[in-house]
């Protein structure tokens, strides 16, 4: 099992949020609404909100956002299950030729605003 996440640069402490998502996915690939809610709770509980400046508190209140791309190899060693949230892309290449990609297959699909995992629970209703 492998995972990568990309924190949205305009959000508060997105690097920590992305790292938390990756570490959690590697230990438990059963991503669900409850799984995400647990990650949000973990992120919020690690913050020392009163110690933040008013500007950082405002940024924290707007939330952190990140993509999550996970790949879990099947027991047969040849099949894999891919999870993609956001605009991170998994590409299957064989002999230097693209076989498939997920979740996008056309470059134009990157123009759409992606759904990202958020530290604000209400923003995760798509999960």
């Amino acid at each position: 099992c492998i995972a990568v996440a990309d924190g949205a640069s305009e959000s508060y402490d997105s690097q920590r949020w992305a790292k938390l998502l990756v570490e959690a996915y590697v230990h438990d690939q059963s991503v669900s609404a409850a799984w995400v809610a647990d990650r949000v709770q973990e992120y919020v509980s690690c913050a020392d909100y009163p110690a933040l400046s008013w500007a950082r508190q405002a940024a924290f209140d707007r939330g952190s956002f990140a993509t999550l791309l996970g790949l879990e190899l099947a027991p047969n060693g040849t099949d894999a299950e891919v999870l993609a949230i956001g605009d991170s892309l998994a590409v299957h290449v064989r002999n230097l030729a693209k076989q498939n990609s997920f979740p996008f297959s056309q470059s134009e699909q990157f123009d759409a605003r992606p759904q990202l995992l958020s530290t604000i629970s209400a923003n995760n209703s798509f999960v």
Side-chain angles (χ1 to χ4, degrees):
C1 169
I2 60 170
V4 294
D6 180 24
S9 58
E10 67 273 0
S11 63
Y12 175 81
D13 201 8
S14 62
Q15 180 179 5
R16 183 166 60 94
W17 176 232
K19 183 178 179 185
L20 188 152
L21 293 169
V22 165
E23 290 172 351
Y25 183 84
V26 169
H27 293 292
D28 177 10
Q29 298 80 47
S30 57
V31 176
S32 65
W35 185 95
V36 175
D38 288 347
R39 303 297 71 81
V40 169
Q41 183 59 40
E42 185 178 349
Y43 178 87
V44 170
S45 69
C46 290
D48 186 2
Y49 189 83
L52 298 175
S53 69
W54 66 268
R56 287 186 178 260
Q57 286 179 348
F60 182 90
D61 293 341
R62 286 189 300 274
S64 295
F65 299 86
T67 66
L68 178 62
L69 179 67
L71 184 136
E72 182 180 7
L73 196 59
N76 67 14
T78 58
D79 296 324
E81 185 172 311
V82 179
L83 167 78
I85 298 173
D87 57 1
S88 292
L89 186 69
V91 180
H92 177 203
V93 176
R94 181 179 293 144
N95 298 324
L96 301 177
K98 177 186 153 208
Q99 303 295 308
N100 203 349
S101 62
F102 181 79
F104 304 146
S105 58
Q106 303 295 320
S107 61
E108 296 81 24
Q109 292 174 286
F110 279 101
D111 292 335
R113 186 172 182 202
Q115 294 258 313
L116 302 175
L117 292 171
S118 174
T119 57
I120 306 297
S121 295
N123 295 333
N124 297 321
S125 60
F126 68 92
V127 177

